[in-house]
Amino acid sequence: MGIPGDEILSRVATGDGHGENTSYFDGWKAYDNDPFHPIHNPNGVIQMGLAENQLCLDLMRDWIRKNPQASICTKEGVSEFEAIANFQDYHGLPDFRKAIAKFMEKARGGRARFDPERIVMSGGATGAQETIAFCLANPGDAFLIPTPYYPAFDRDFRWRTGVQLLPIRCHSHDNFKITEAELAAAYRKARDSKIRVKGILITNPSNPLGTTMDRETLRTLVRFANEERIHLVCDEIFSGTVFDGPEYVSVAEILQEDPSTCDGDLIHIVYSLSKDLGVPGFRVGIIYSYNDAVVSCARRMSSFGLVSTQTQLLLASMLGDDDFTTDLLAESRRRLMHRHRAFTAGLEGVGIRCLQSNAGLFCWMSLKPLLKDATAEGEAELWRVIVNEVKLNISPGSSFHCTEPGWFRACFANMDEETMETALRRIRTFVRRANDAATAAKTKKRWDTSLRLSLPRRFEEMTVLTPRLMSPRSPLVQAAT
Amino acid sequence: MSPTPSKKSADADAAAAAATATQARSSATGLGGGGGGAGMRLIVPLQGVVQGRGGLVLGTLIPCALFYFLQFYLRRNRSPPPTSPQPPAANGPDLPGIVRSSSRNFLSARGSSGHAAVSSRAASIARSGDSPYFVGTKKCSEDPYHPVDNPDGVIQLGLAENRLSLDLIGDWLARNVTNTLLDERQGGLSISGLATYQPFDGLVELKMAVAEFMGQVMQGSVSFDPSQIIMTAGATPAIEILSFCLADAGNAFLVPSPYYPGYDRNIRWRAGIELIPVPCRSTDNFGLSIPALERAYNQAKMRGVKVRAVLFSNPSNPVGNLLHRETLRDLLDFVTEKGIHVIADEVFAGSTHGTEDFVSMAEVLNTDEFDRSRVHIVYGLSKDLSVPGFRIGLIYSFNEHVIAAASKLARFSSVSVPTQHLLISMLNDTKFITQYIKTNRERLRVMYALLVNGLKQLGVESVKSSGGFYCWTDMSKFMKSYSEKGELELWKEMLNVAKIHLTPGTACHCIEPGWFRLCFTTLTEKDVPVVLERIKRVVDNH
């Protein structure tokens, strides 16, 4: 005699706020059921939907090996244990905060200064987003967010907080830039619906676009926030992955260049080490706010997601090692650029265009030519084919709330070069087959309309089949994967 | 000044009410013509209603206005809006803030100079300023006691840290060092383990090791199933996540008082769940009373507040008593009858030092036929294993829907992966763990006895405690007045004259003034006479 769970659990527990019923996660499930492995499962699904950065793990590993005193479980480091085991001050270890501030400055090329006293911890970037939402907005309030955006914001920003996310539409014809017109339109629309807008949430560098925001757009956003007295939350989690020009501009720089034009109380940065360093397992989320009330509130909330002092100690040492961080950032960028170039070149070889990007762990590619219909359903169908037949888990644009169908995000930094090559091979095969099928369909049509003869069935079949044999491009019977 | 509730709909109602009222008033004056005063202004239109002159319109407007005012009044005086938070602890989970439902919390969150508003949660933090307890902590950190370097400093007895057995853990680490953090052979982790996303609710190996540990702590009386465990970064988020799963904002939990001050922050603040204290009496040795629970439940019902769970700590914080098996059974009967949940906060289960045996809620469920899906346990390693800095807590639930929801919510409060690996290694050394638990208990027993006996000699009586880190002492006879004010004054005297920071009973919602909570686990044997001498300074003044 059990109680049916739905009756006596909360709305948070029984609702869909966790967002795991969306297509973004369906691909993950496909991957979980059939994960690719170069030796054990070479025909499995390759995970290209998870933005992990595994390119510099060897550098991290080497540092950890060379610096045993940074870990408390080595004989060099164990003496620190008693001091930190009992330390549960939510301010965090002072050296940890200093090291994080220094690292953030370095990732921005020293163009911005960060005060360690404003560094607040949280349970990963996930926890940081949620905490900022709790600090800035009441249930029912809304934040404006440019599309396309990271799907998990729907969960992290909204689930327990009751805050809404309203889209600012961005379009491919101007490379998905945020325009003042669309920003104002989104704001007006919310106001007309009597929804209270508390702020704007942007990701810079952008996920999924991989682009950095130009100075003008940032200034526009800051100005808008100032005029309307709303907050600007900048998720700068990918700030260390900018591998190419134009130079990265953080909102911290905008604030610094002219503090009189903007009220610091409105500007907040969310950061994490999960992407730049590739260590999501450390669960380090950082909130950096220029608003004292928010720092105070977020700090108290950090009790719900403090970073383990063991981890704080390790990072204080690692990020405090100036030479190491300089080398790491430089090498990481170099490897990302190399990987990005290889991947996008591979795609271009089969006519797949990617949005020009200079940051992030992924590329934003347009598969519009492969869509049967240029609709959401068409995109969903193509995506199912790619996951189930091509065996690549890439993420469909609709899961990012992209208004135009046909865009997909593919991550390339969470695998080694051979796996990336395998993925490219599969894509090439798929695109060529799709192109051939499309050509065949077109050829068939032309034939019919010009002759207006109704050929016997046999002939029709031959017409459809022969292009594969006749076409010089497609070799006979290539392997499916 | 009429406070404006922060709820949007109430705002709208108020605006509507104001508008309608003004309309009604102006129409009334119009009809009433000239003097007559307020009375005439009301009576004339009513006459109009009766005599049918323009009365239909007014006859609608006036009752509407009255209705809006009534609604407005009722809403204001019902339960406070869920977004109105209480000022939480200053530092660490244990420091209390004075919990008063100030009407100022109802003020709009907009700053006076037109600054962009933060949420009401953040605004109330900004307003709470320096409560006395912040003052206390500050004094402790500015002038901390040290037996050699600063013998006249402030002794902190308000924070729960167990320093008595930290050396045992340190020694284990020293004996089990690895070459690096990444030494896979000795239970370290591979770099890919660090670099990839792991399940947010904890590694399976850790859950298994923790389940084993919990069984050992409960002295083998019950075994725990790893698949019912959700790991979280400390017991603090565990309680919050559980609250979010079991109740909606505006609902309530019944909590026997005095209770752990941190619950106010963990449950009320963001989840918006009300905590209804159910007072326990010193005459009952602060034991849980089912009739009192029943009364509190009915009172809440009459107020229109939906109670979703009973939350209690066992061993109790701050009192330190253990619940008997029969009480636990009665509690289960109660919650089953009311159709609500029960949350057992058992974080001190391994820190028992008395002669009584600890009985976990899990044990009662094992032996008796109760509906398990309403039972949830909160646990963690901060207290029993002396490692609060590492942030390891957990939810243990018998309800699969709660487990499913909580495992998704754990993403906001995940345990650091290197720490998980360290703990897996340590907990799997069962021989060490058995020895540790035994030695820790012994040290707790010794220190507790030392302090309690010393206090007794000063005339300060404590409730018999069988577990936890605290002495729950009665200092009411040293208060100037038997009231909350008297208690606060005594607390200040303790801080400024005796230079000891204690936790006063009001912070724990104790309805009887004069009770104070002292933590004894940060002391060494040499510190005890110093503490007693300091307390004597104040005691002798009265």
Side-chain angles (χ1 to χ4, degrees):
Chain A
M1 197 215 15
I3 288 124
D6 286 351
E7 260 178 75
I8 57 170
L9 293 192
S10 66
R11 286 191 280 269
V12 163
T14 52
D16 257 347
H18 51 76
E20 282 178 26
N21 296 335
T22 63
S23 56
Y24 184 67
F25 294 100
D26 279 349
W28 293 33
K29 291 174 195 158
Y31 169 76
D32 284 337
N33 290 335
D34 184 19
F36 171 83
H37 188 276
I39 300 165
H40 304 308
N41 190 15
N43 290 329
V45 177
I46 298 181
Q47 173 66 284
M48 302 190 86
L50 187 53
E52 282 177 345
N53 183 358
Q54 294 180 15
L55 298 183
C56 282
L57 294 186
D58 55 324
L59 298 177
M60 303 272 298
R61 188 181 49 220
D62 290 341
W63 188 94
I64 293 175
R65 289 225 171 99
K66 285 198 210 108
N67 290 272
Q69 79 288 350
S71 327
I72 51 166
C73 30
T74 61
K75 70 175 183 302
E76 293 87 343
V78 75
S79 53
E80 292 292 330
F81 167 74
E82 286 198 28
I84 63 162
N86 254 331
F87 186 85
Q88 41 180 340
D89 181 350
Y90 57 35
H91 289 81
L93 293 171
D95 285 341
F96 171 71
R97 273 182 290 136
K98 284 201 200 94
I100 295 280
K102 218 163 87 163
F103 187 72
M104 284 172 75
E105 286 175 359
K106 203 170 259 199
R108 288 156 187 71
R111 295 182 293 277
R113 301 230 62 77
F114 290 98
D115 176 6
E117 295 304 310
R118 291 193 176 279
I119 301 277
V120 175
M121 291 182 279
S122 61
T126 301
Q129 287 295 349
E130 197 198 34
T131 299
I132 261 285
F134 270 124
C135 287
L136 300 179
N138 294 328
D141 292 343
F143 264 69
L144 303 178
I145 183 169
T147 63
Y149 65 83
Y150 169 54
F153 278 153
D154 287 331
R155 173 194 55 210
D156 299 344
F157 218 76
R158 299 185 323 172
W159 193 8
R160 297 194 288 185
T161 60
V163 172
Q164 303 182 58
L165 284 176
L166 301 175
I168 302 168
R169 289 174 324 157
C170 300
H171 309 280
S172 57
H173 59 73
D174 48 16
N175 286 329
F176 295 98
K177 281 217 172 78
I178 304 171
T179 60
E180 192 153 10
E182 286 288 2
L183 174 60
Y187 187 69
R188 227 180 306 123
K189 186 166 172 218
R191 294 283 294 266
D192 292 342
S193 318
K194 301 272 193 296
I195 300 175
R196 187 153 114 176
V197 175
K198 284 313 272 291
I200 306 168
L201 170 63
I202 60 168
T203 310
N204 176 29
S206 164
N207 178 5
L209 303 176
T211 53
T212 53
M213 214 171 270
D214 60 279
R215 203 173 281 265
E216 262 326 295
T217 313
L218 269 173
R219 283 199 189 118
T220 306
L221 287 164
V222 167
R223 208 183 334 121
F224 189 88
N226 226 23
E227 277 163 11
E228 304 296 338
R229 311 304 304 150
I230 58 179
H231 296 278
L232 180 60
V233 176
C234 303
D235 185 344
E236 300 195 341
I237 194 178
F238 291 102
S239 50
T241 65
V242 181
F243 52 79
D244 207 351
E247 192 179 68
Y248 177 61
V249 181
S250 158
V251 73
E253 291 174 55
I254 306 292
L255 196 55
Q256 262 171 223
E257 73 186 7
D258 198 351
S260 61
T261 55
C262 182
D263 184 359
D265 278 357
L266 301 174
I267 310 291
H268 321 272
I269 297 177
V270 166
Y271 185 58
S272 164
L273 298 177
S274 303
K275 309 296 183 191
D276 286 352
L277 284 187
V279 284
F282 280 163
R283 308 311 304 147
V284 176
I286 302 289
I287 296 169
Y288 190 92
S289 174
Y290 293 90
N291 180 324
D292 293 339
V294 173
V295 170
S296 189
C297 182
R299 192 155 270 149
R300 278 163 228 227
M301 285 188 182
S302 64
S303 298
F304 298 113
L306 288 174
V307 177
S308 162
T309 45
Q310 174 194 16
T311 308
Q312 288 187 46
L313 193 70
L314 176 67
L315 288 170
S317 192
M318 191 190 282
L319 300 182
D321 184 342
D322 224 5
D323 296 327
F324 171 70
T325 51
T326 309
D327 290 341
L328 179 70
L329 282 170
E331 187 60 24
S332 172
R333 285 173 179 143
R334 200 188 63 81
R335 293 181 189 182
L336 273 171
M337 176 156 78
H338 178 82
R339 185 59 70 88
H340 175 263
R341 291 224 171 118
F343 192 68
T344 48
L347 291 175
E348 252 164 69
V350 280
I352 296 180
R353 187 177 79 86
C354 288
L355 182 72
Q356 180 149 39
S357 63
N358 60 329
L361 310 171
F362 31 73
C363 67
W364 184 240
M365 53 189 191
S366 172
L367 298 183
K368 276 199 204 120
L370 298 175
L371 289 180
K372 287 215 176 65
D373 327 290
T375 59
E377 290 76 37
E379 181 186 283
E381 208 196 303
L382 176 62
W383 176 72
R384 271 191 293 274
V385 168
I386 296 178
V387 171
N388 297 319
E389 292 173 25
V390 188
K391 304 282 196 96
L392 295 176
N393 178 28
I394 58 176
S395 313
S398 55
S399 63
F400 294 88
H401 302 270
C402 185
T403 50
E404 301 169 27
W407 291 90
F408 287 79
R409 185 193 77 170
C411 301
F412 50 68
N414 59 329
M415 55 186 71
D416 55 29
E417 286 224 35
E418 293 77 42
T419 312
M420 189 192 72
E421 287 302 327
T422 310
L424 281 173
R425 264 200 304 277
R426 293 186 189 180
I427 294 175
R428 279 191 209 110
T429 315
F430 171 69
V431 172
R432 282 179 188 149
R433 272 230 302 269
N435 281 341
D436 293 343
T439 324
K442 268 198 226 137
T443 324
K444 176 172 179 269
K445 264 212 187 125
R446 260 185 276 134
W447 186 264
D448 284 343
T449 53
S450 63
L451 289 187
R452 288 179 206 280
L453 283 175
S454 94
L455 294 168
R457 198 153 251 269
R458 263 180 305 134
F459 287 96
E460 279 182 37
E461 278 171 36
M462 250 172 56
T463 327
V464 172
L465 282 174
T466 40
R468 205 185 296 192
L469 297 171
M470 276 178 7
S471 158
R473 282 179 306 144
S474 67
L476 252 134
V477 193
Q478 204 173 35
T481 48
Chain B
M1 167 182 75
S2 61
T4 327
S6 49
K7 261 190 165 162
K8 201 164 61 77
S9 51
D11 269 338
D13 280 347
T20 330
T22 332
Q23 257 187 331
R25 263 200 306 272
S26 53
S27 323
T29 5
L31 265 177
M40 288 306 290
R41 291 198 183 119
L42 195 55
I43 294 187
V44 174
L46 287 180
Q47 274 184 337
V49 172
V50 169
Q51 293 162 8
R53 249 184 304 138
L56 194 61
V57 172
L58 287 169
T60 325
L61 286 177
I62 294 172
C64 274
L66 290 174
F67 175 67
Y68 276 127
F69 273 126
L70 183 68
Q71 236 193 6
F72 180 51
Y73 171 80
L74 279 177
R75 248 181 236 228
R76 239 194 65 207
N77 288 311
R78 262 192 189 184
S79 40
T83 50
S84 98
Q86 302 302 320
N91 201 8
D94 246 26
L95 260 184
I98 296 187
V99 179
R100 299 215 190 292
S101 187
S102 163
S103 61
R104 292 172 72 213
N105 280 339
F106 289 66
L107 279 176
S108 159
R110 263 189 199 282
S112 51
S113 54
H115 276 210
V118 291
S119 68
S120 17
R121 293 175 187 92
S124 90
I125 301 300
R127 271 198 300 271
S128 68
D130 280 317
S131 84
Y133 310 103
F134 287 87
V135 170
T137 326
K138 222 169 132 199
K139 278 217 157 90
C140 286
S141 51
E142 280 166 6
D143 184 20
Y145 166 78
H146 189 273
V148 177
D149 302 329
N150 190 14
D152 278 324
V154 182
I155 304 182
Q156 169 70 283
L157 295 183
L159 272 185
E161 286 173 1
N162 184 1
R163 299 230 187 98
L164 300 179
S165 307
L166 207 51
D167 58 313
L168 298 175
I169 311 271
D171 288 343
W172 181 90
L173 272 177
R175 284 195 308 272
N176 290 275
V177 288
T178 58
N179 290 327
T180 79
L181 175 70
L182 300 174
D183 207 321
E184 281 180 69
R185 285 165 298 145
Q186 284 168 280
L189 77 167
S190 71
I191 190 70
S192 73
L194 192 60
T196 54
Y197 282 92
Q198 303 295 327
F200 288 115
D201 59 334
L203 298 168
V204 168
E205 297 89 336
L206 181 62
K207 291 189 191 182
M208 284 166 46
V210 167
E212 185 67 42
F213 177 72
M214 286 167 79
Q216 279 178 284
V217 154
M218 315 292 176
Q219 287 165 316
S221 58
V222 61
S223 68
F224 291 86
D225 178 359
S227 68
Q228 288 175 243
I229 294 178
I230 307 288
M231 303 296 308
T232 59
T236 297
I239 293 231
E240 200 200 29
I241 288 173
L242 206 47
S243 306
F244 268 107
C245 287
L246 302 180
D248 298 316
N251 295 158
F253 289 169
L254 298 179
V255 194
S257 66
Y259 63 78
Y260 164 52
Y263 287 158
D264 292 326
R265 174 198 54 199
N266 298 350
I267 298 166
R268 277 181 149 135
W269 196 15
R270 307 194 306 183
I273 295 165
E274 188 186 332
L275 291 180
I276 300 175
V278 180
C280 303
R281 312 223 159 249
S282 54
T283 43
D284 294 335
N285 256 341
F286 293 97
L288 178 68
S289 146
I290 302 290
L293 275 178
E294 182 82 46
R295 271 197 302 277
Y297 181 86
N298 293 332
Q299 276 169 10
K301 202 160 166 204
M302 281 199 303
R303 267 197 296 141
V305 170
K306 197 164 171 199
V307 170
R308 299 299 285 263
V310 173
L311 162 67
F312 71 99
S313 57
N314 179 28
S316 158
N317 177 357
V319 179
N321 48 14
L322 306 181
L323 268 71
H324 301 133
R325 195 181 296 267
E326 302 78 57
T327 319
L328 290 171
R329 278 203 209 105
D330 292 341
L331 188 51
L332 281 168
D333 278 331
F334 174 79
V335 298
T336 311
E337 188 210 317
K338 303 294 182 210
I340 61 180
H341 295 272
V342 61
I343 304 171
D345 179 353
E346 300 188 344
V347 291
F348 288 104
S351 303
T352 48
H353 51 73
T355 44
E356 273 178 78
D357 268 337
F358 172 73
V359 180
S360 163
M361 201 47 136
E363 207 186 311
V364 178
L365 283 182
N366 226 15
T367 52
D368 296 49
E369 279 304 307
F370 280 105
D371 175 15
R372 300 166 158 234
S373 65
R374 50 180 85 253
V375 179
H376 319 275
I377 297 175
V378 170
Y379 188 62
L381 300 182
S382 299
K383 311 292 186 216
D384 289 349
L385 208 56
S386 318
V387 286
F390 289 178
R391 315 309 305 149
I392 304 146
L394 63 106
I395 298 170
Y396 189 86
S397 176
F398 293 86
N399 184 318
E400 56 176 5
H401 301 279
V402 170
I403 294 172
S407 66
K408 298 186 177 86
L409 284 168
R411 66 184 315 106
F412 296 110
S413 315
S414 266
V415 185
S416 175
V417 170
T419 305
Q420 292 193 49
H421 281 274
L422 178 60
L423 261 307
I424 289 168
S425 191
M426 196 188 294
L427 296 176
N428 281 337
D429 189 344
T430 42
K431 210 166 132 223
F432 161 70
I433 293 290
T434 314
Q435 188 57 41
Y436 169 85
I437 295 174
K438 188 156 161 266
T439 312
N440 184 38
R441 284 199 168 117
E442 187 53 42
R443 292 184 184 179
L444 285 169
R445 194 186 343 260
V446 165
M447 192 61 67
Y448 176 74
L450 208 57
L451 189 60
V452 161
N453 291 333
L455 287 170
K456 203 169 175 159
Q457 315 226 327
L458 294 175
V460 178
E461 294 292 332
S462 316
V463 168
K464 179 162 172 290
S465 155
S466 308
F469 297 168
Y470 310 108
C471 297
W472 183 241
T473 58
D474 184 4
M475 303 208 187
S476 51
K477 57 176 129 161
F478 308 117
M479 296 192 301
K480 289 203 180 73
S481 62
Y482 189 74
S483 65
E484 218 176 277
K485 185 158 166 277
E487 185 186 288
L488 196 58
E489 276 171 16
L490 181 59
W491 176 81
K492 276 193 199 141
E493 213 184 325
M494 281 290 176
L495 185 62
N496 297 321
V497 174
K499 298 188 92 183
I500 298 188
H501 185 226
L502 318 166
T503 309
T506 25
C508 305
H509 302 266
C510 185
I511 55 165
E512 299 175 26
W515 290 89
F516 285 81
R517 187 190 75 171
L518 283 77
C519 174
F520 61 82
T521 52
T522 50
L523 302 171
T524 62
E525 284 188 29
K526 292 202 189 75
D527 295 328
V528 174
V530 179
V531 170
L532 293 172
E533 183 267 314
R534 301 271 191 99
I535 294 180
K536 199 164 184 299
R537 288 186 211 164
V538 170
V539 162
D540 283 348
N541 284 347
H542 297 264

